[in-house]
Amino acid sequence: MGAWRIQGESGEWEAVIGLEVHAQVISASKLFSGASAVFGAEPNTQVSLVDAGFPGMLPVLNEYCVEQAVRTGLGLKAKINLTSVFERKNYFYADLPAGYQISQYKYPLVGEGTVILDMPDGSTRPIGIERLHVEQDAGKSLHDQDPKRTFIDLNRSGVALMEIVSRPDLRTPEEAGIYLRKLRSILRYLGTCDGNMEEGSMRCDVNVSVRKPGEPLRTRAEIKNVNSVRFVMQAIEHEARRQVRAYEEGGKVVQETRLYDSHKGETRPMRAKEFAHDYRYFPDPDLLPLRLSPEYVDVIAATLPELPDEKKDRFMRDYGLSPYDAGVLVVERETADYFERAARGGEGVGRGGRDAKQVANWVISTLFGLLNAKGLPVTRSPVSADHLGKLVDLIADGTISGRIAKDVFEIMGETGRDPADIVAAKGLQQITDTGAIEAAVNQVIAANPDKAAEVRAGKVALLGWFTGQVMKATGGKANPAAVNAILKKKLSG
Amino acid sequence: MALTRDQVRAIALLARVRVPDEGLEPMAKEISGILHWIEQLNEVDTEGVEPMTSVVAMTLPMRPDAVDDGGDPAAVLKGAPEPVDGFYAVPKVVE
Amino acid sequence: MSALTDLGIAEAAAGLAKRDFSAVELARAHIAAVAGARALNAFIVETPDAALAAAAESDKRRQDGRSLGVLDGIPLAIKDLFCTEGVQTTAGSRILKGFVPAYESTVTRNLKRAGAAMIGKTNLDEFAMGSSNITSAFGPVKNPWGPPLGRAGNKELVPGGSSGGSAAAIAAGLALGATGTDTGGSIRQPASFCGIVGLKPTYGRCSRFGIVAFASSLDQAGPMTRNVKDAALMLGAMAGHDPRDSTSAPIPCPDFARAAIAPVKGLRVGIPKEYRIEGMSSEIDALWRKGEQWLREQGAEVVEVSLPHTRYALPTYYIVAPAEASSNLARYDGVRFGLRVPGETLDDMYMNTRAAGFGPEVRRRILIGTYVLSAGYYDAYYLKAQKVRALIARDFRDAFATVDAILAPTAPSPAFAIGEKTEDPIAMYLNDVFTVPASLAGLPAMSVPAGLSAGGLPLGLQIIGRAFDEETVLRAGAAIERAAGFDTRPSRLVPAKAGKGDR
């Protein structure tokens, strides 16, 4: 991908983008209370008195949330800080019951790390992670239920979040999109966040500034709470162009918080906050510094799954896949697992040693199409990995042609049946018996004496037409190579 | 440090405690007096001293990830000034 | 035998065990005493029915031979900072008026599980911010040592604060023991003003769960009683590790009461020279020297120690405590419980509610706390205070390398009149000059009544110990108690009537 430049009257501008992703930790209960963290319950049904900030209530840290955050840090190849501190971020809002959010500030749990972007041209680009810290979510304000009032649901209040802050290393909307998808992929591999942006379990704040290439950083604007990858990309595009326009018109860009309006396709400042924020962070006196041992971190590191980057490398190395194919297959762990099972054969199934590139092609071009059309995840694919592997075997050993294989796949997609059974039941085996093929060839030549003469007179191009007729006559089952060979012999003089 | 009226107004806004205009000046004076008294701390050499956030010499205890609380909306809404349909309600907020 | 309301906890427990009287009789005597002393304004809520019900259960247990021990059937007063299930809990603030928690603080739960009968919720400075009990939204408490009730002319005295209602209740014979909380002296100073024993345990000894928070890194619950042994007995029931408080110490509790009877022979007691402050009244100084003498006479070795940063403790405290309080009190916003004063916008509602709900001292501390944490001032105030706090704690560590306990006055003066010191907040803050250092260091400290001022008002001496060494504090405190022989009762009340007569 080339550099993204915005053409202004005064020259070219580039965007400088950093993302702050709030990822909801997968856990049963909340960060500091025993209320359920599950999404989608009736209002205020998953609220403890701690979450509602009642007098005398105290927070007690959920050990699994810490483990999940450490796992995520390790997945981001980041430094785990063995001592971290929970602080209070103080501000008033109706869905922030205690009047402060317990977060981490000076001493986050996770320090610097890296996310590798897989660019469409097969190259990679590292993006720096500045930090990851653990914090509580706020509740939810519903502004549109009543003309005069805002309603508050505290179910989300206290749910554990990881705030993952990138360095301002991103330069284009596309890179931001690739970064978000990659981060989501890593979190899902780790099982630490489901990455569901629609349900709000992954939310994004976007920091955007523009500058002339080579300049130091200029003032940035923060676009809050963008809730899809597509909107993040659009918001960056609109915001960067807005800032360029502002500078080109001799104006300024002010440091402010903006919202992205996807209907109007523009960012606008949040309704001017009546009061400037001053969060007055200080260490939460209800909690103590969190200290972890190196052994604790080592145990988590030892149980880390193979992550997309390593898997991609291995797929390229072991299966000879292109960077692009490997990259596509590893985005979701389930897809990668499917591919590997199909390519290698599961326990006691298939023969292994299949043509992995063929398998990859089938997965990427055919299986994905089927799943898309049916709106199914790969884990619920009607075509099992074992069956897809068998289908590739049937092509490889000449039982069916590639063309018939497409038909067989279609039936597999509808019925979930074993391809060998389908082939047998429908009699779709390739005809390799030369006698039968020869008979069909003879029939076609006899029915088309004029065209046969033309071929014999040198119009070789017509051979293909004959091949097609023979294939048609055999219901597509004839081995195309055998058909060609016999045709050539019969029409060559 | 002597606080100005405007500073008191700003702090009062930050703390969401209304201080009437006529109260700003006396409050500024009062707080300034206290701050002035507090500033004797500047005499103490704290070079290289680690700030003390807790007197407790232990690490943060943790609890297992178990759901053992919540599930009782009536309990958290009981005593709320204006509950509506299972929600807390406040004057409308425009974002 | 003396009146039931004159007993200590240990004596009452012995009487109950011997069936000299029943727990219900004990409760009735105290309920009557509470009703007869309403002029003191020591209670915000009286809970006679609950006390009687608990007493009846206690009697039944005792009859069945299932007594829960020394606190079973003992009427206790509970500071209204402890959340009590089904009983209004206000923290002395208008903003929590009518707030009835559906939960119980760990400390009061522990006491109830030990069989204690809660007789009511005691008055206090609003959110425990004060040293005189005059900041309560429910009116000031009057010190039982003041002029006899009903006699006009002489000024009423403060009971000290913030646990002023608890201290007054014990001094006036309205309960056998009371809970207090101490953030900068709120148990010890009122104990000194009212002539009773008040023990602030080590930070982390008693759970803070369910106690309305003032300054979380300092708040600590403790017993207020007529004598040292009772304090030990009560502490034994209140204390213990609580997984719901992350700062609660996972340390087993020793037998405090046994410690209280151990002799002090061989104990090394330090006299911090920096506590001999400029302008210290001669009667306080004399009492302090008398305390030294008493300990020496009982075989303790008394030496001078140095706590060089003592004079910086108060200003440090007046940064740390308001900073934490400004954040702790943000939850009183009119959204989920307590007072709401309507407003056009959410922020109007907040500001109306908090202006109407908080009294002047609370508002002042919230503003100071907000200021010292705000951008640009954090390092100069809050961070600086945290560093000085570290030095103050270090002073104590150094001193405790050579001594086992420290002896000091509890307060710089006896109880003063209601209305005094209200003009100048700093003059009021100076009440805590001797109590705040141990609070900042999280150390156990106890005030024991040791004598009377020239004006006939009680004065306390303070013992400070090593972290989690309440045993030594109790031991030294008991030695002071023995020597002082303080058994004077405030004269304004005539408690005898309420006792046996009700049987």
Side-chain angles (χ1 to χ4, degrees), chain C residues 156-199:
Chain C
E156 289 287 352
L157 302 178
V158 302
S162 65
S163 312
S166 288
I170 300 308
L174 313 184
L176 293 181
T179 62
T181 62
D182 191 315
T183 304
S186 281
I187 287 176
R188 293 161 285 165
Q189 184 254 19
S192 179
F193 278 20
C194 292
I196 64 160
V197 170
L199 169 59

Side-chain angles (χ1 to χ4, degrees), chain C residues 251-424:
Chain C
I251 295 177
C253 287
D255 183 343
F256 295 116
R258 179 188 294 267
I261 54 173
V264 292
K265 194 165 177 356
L267 200 69
R268 292 175 61 87
V269 179
I271 305 294
K273 61 178 182 192
E274 291 82 2
Y275 278 50
R276 203 149 263 136
I277 51 172
E278 214 178 299
M280 180 186 244
S281 87
S282 56
E283 63 183 10
I284 300 285
D285 192 43
L287 184 74
W288 191 9
R289 290 182 199 278
K290 212 187 269 178
E292 276 183 58
Q293 189 58 34
W294 290 333
L295 289 171
R296 223 179 257 127
E297 281 165 7
Q298 296 181 60
E301 189 187 337
V302 180
V303 297
E304 190 179 79
V305 291
S306 175
L307 300 169
H309 295 91
T310 297
R311 58 178 299 218
Y312 301 109
L314 266 184
T316 299
Y317 176 84
Y318 277 95
I319 293 174
V320 173
E324 293 182 15
S326 71
S327 176
N328 281 336
L329 270 56
R331 68 189 58 202
Y332 306 102
D333 59 4
V335 176
R336 297 165 316 285
F337 48 77
L339 181 75
R340 169 183 289 191
V341 178
E344 270 301 294
T345 65
L346 177 63
D347 284 319
D348 280 343
M349 189 275 279
Y350 283 151
M351 299 210 283
N352 295 344
T353 298
R354 290 163 62 79
F358 293 137
E361 179 63 22
V362 172
R363 290 203 300 269
R364 173 160 52 223
R365 294 206 200 183
I366 288 175
L367 294 183
I368 292 173
T370 302
Y371 180 72
V372 298
L373 288 174
S374 64
Y377 302 100
Y378 181 91
D379 287 3
Y381 291 106
Y382 185 74
L383 197 67
K384 181 77 180 181
Q386 298 283 47
K387 289 177 178 176
V388 179
R389 186 177 181 183
L391 293 175
I392 289 164
R394 196 168 74 189
D395 285 354
F396 278 107
R397 264 200 311 280
D398 292 349
F400 283 121
T402 56
V403 297
D404 304 307
I406 287 169
L407 178 71
T410 304
S413 74
F416 46 88
I418 293 177
E420 254 179 61
K421 306 194 187 190
T422 47
E423 289 307 304
D424 178 7

Side-chain angles (χ1 to χ4, degrees), chain A residues 140-377:
Chain A
K140 198 167 149 195
S141 293
L142 296 96
H143 304 299
D144 50 4
Q145 309 274 309
D146 185 279
K148 288 206 161 130
R149 289 171 296 185
T150 288
F151 291 169
I152 309 297
D153 173 12
L154 296 180
N155 280 348
R156 252 185 12 204
S157 167
V159 166
L161 301 178
M162 299 178 282
E163 180 168 331
I164 303 166
V165 183
S166 86
R167 291 207 166 279
D169 289 350
L170 299 160
R171 291 289 174 273
T172 73
E174 288 73 20
E175 283 182 1
I178 294 169
Y179 170 84
L180 275 178
R181 292 198 176 97
K182 182 60 176 281
L183 183 61
R184 182 166 63 187
S185 167
I186 293 170
L187 296 176
R188 284 178 173 166
Y189 264 69
L190 293 164
T192 57
C193 171
D194 68 22
N196 190 330
M197 291 188 87
E198 290 70 44
E199 288 181 0
S201 54
M202 198 167 137
R203 305 194 288 272
C204 190
D205 298 342
V206 188
N207 288 304
V208 182
S209 65
V210 297
R211 65 177 175 192
K212 299 279 179 66
E215 270 186 358
L217 294 176
R218 297 198 183 200
T219 308
R220 67 190 162 84
E222 183 181 22
I223 313 163
K224 277 269 183 210
N225 255 326
V226 193
N227 62 8
S228 82
V229 175
R230 197 159 53 92
F231 289 163
V232 167
M233 294 168 66
Q234 290 173 3
I236 292 169
E237 175 107 34
H238 290 296
E239 177 59 19
R241 292 193 188 284
R242 181 191 72 84
Q243 291 184 14
V244 167
R245 269 199 309 278
Y247 287 126
E248 294 279 348
E249 288 163 7
K252 283 200 311 188
V253 169
V254 291
Q255 181 152 358
E256 64 181 352
T257 305
R258 302 176 70 87
L259 287 175
Y260 177 59
D261 184 332
S262 58
H263 299 294
K264 292 188 183 160
E266 63 177 27
T267 70
R268 58 184 153 76
M270 283 179 84
R271 166 73 70 110
K273 287 271 168 198
E274 267 178 78
F275 319 113
H277 279 308
D278 182 344
Y279 291 128
R280 290 160 285 137
Y281 281 98
F282 74 106
D284 190 331
D286 286 332
L287 299 164
L288 302 167
L290 172 61
R291 291 183 218 283
L292 305 175
S293 69
E295 295 74 30
Y296 171 89
V297 177
D298 290 345
V299 168
I300 297 173
T303 57
L304 224 54
E306 183 184 38
L307 291 172
D309 291 328
E310 288 100 68
K311 209 182 267 293
K312 180 186 168 193
D313 287 348
R314 186 166 61 77
F315 280 10
M316 289 164 60
R317 195 174 60 237
D318 292 1
Y319 297 110
L321 301 186
S322 70
Y324 177 81
D325 283 359
V328 169
L329 288 174
V330 302
V331 168
E332 286 182 53
R333 172 145 75 164
E334 292 77 10
T335 311
D337 289 349
Y338 183 102
F339 160 76
E340 265 201 287
R341 189 176 173 98
R344 279 206 312 227
E347 281 73 24
V349 187
R351 292 167 302 177
R354 287 177 183 133
D355 183 342
K357 283 188 195 170
Q358 282 291 337
V359 175
N361 279 340
W362 274 96
V363 171
I364 292 168
S365 47
T366 316
L367 180 75
F368 282 1
L370 173 77
L371 296 176
N372 257 336
K374 290 193 177 290
L376 289 174

Side-chain angles (χ1 to χ4, degrees), chain B residues 1-3 7-8 10-20 27 30-31 33-63 75-83 88-93, chain C residues 100 102 203 217 246-250 309 311-312 314-316 318-319 334-338 340 343-352 354-355 358 363-364 366-368 370-372 374 377 380-381 383-391 393 425-426 429-430 440-442:
Chain B
M1 162 174 277
L3 248 65
Q7 277 176 302
V8 173
I11 300 163
L13 288 177
L14 210 50
R16 300 295 190 276
V17 173
R18 194 181 300 293
V19 177
M27 185 65 89
E30 222 169 75
I31 295 180
I34 294 168
L35 290 175
H36 177 74
W37 169 70
I38 281 173
E39 278 159 16
Q40 55 180 301
L41 290 186
N42 294 337
E43 300 162 11
V44 186
D45 179 5
T46 50
E47 187 67 37
V49 177
E50 274 299 302
M52 183 181 210
T53 54
S54 171
V55 299
V56 181
M58 59 180 204
T59 185
L60 183 58
M62 295 190 255
R63 45 169 261 275
V76 294
L77 289 160
K78 177 178 158 268
E82 272 185 47
Y88 299 103
V90 296
K92 192 165 187 83
V93 180
Chain C
V100 179
Y203 183 84
S217 78
S246 300
T247 62
S248 162
H309 295 91
R311 58 178 299 218
Y312 301 109
L314 266 184
T316 299
Y318 277 95
I319 293 174
V335 176
R336 297 165 316 285
F337 48 77
R340 169 183 289 191
E344 270 301 294
T345 65
L346 177 63
D347 284 319
D348 280 343
M349 189 275 279
Y350 283 151
M351 299 210 283
N352 295 344
R354 290 163 62 79
F358 293 137
R363 290 203 300 269
R364 173 160 52 223
I366 288 175
L367 294 183
I368 292 173
T370 302
Y371 180 72
V372 298
S374 64
Y377 302 100
Y381 291 106
L383 197 67
K384 181 77 180 181
Q386 298 283 47
K387 289 177 178 176
V388 179
R389 186 177 181 183
L391 293 175
I426 295 170
Y429 297 168
L430 286 172
L440 289 170

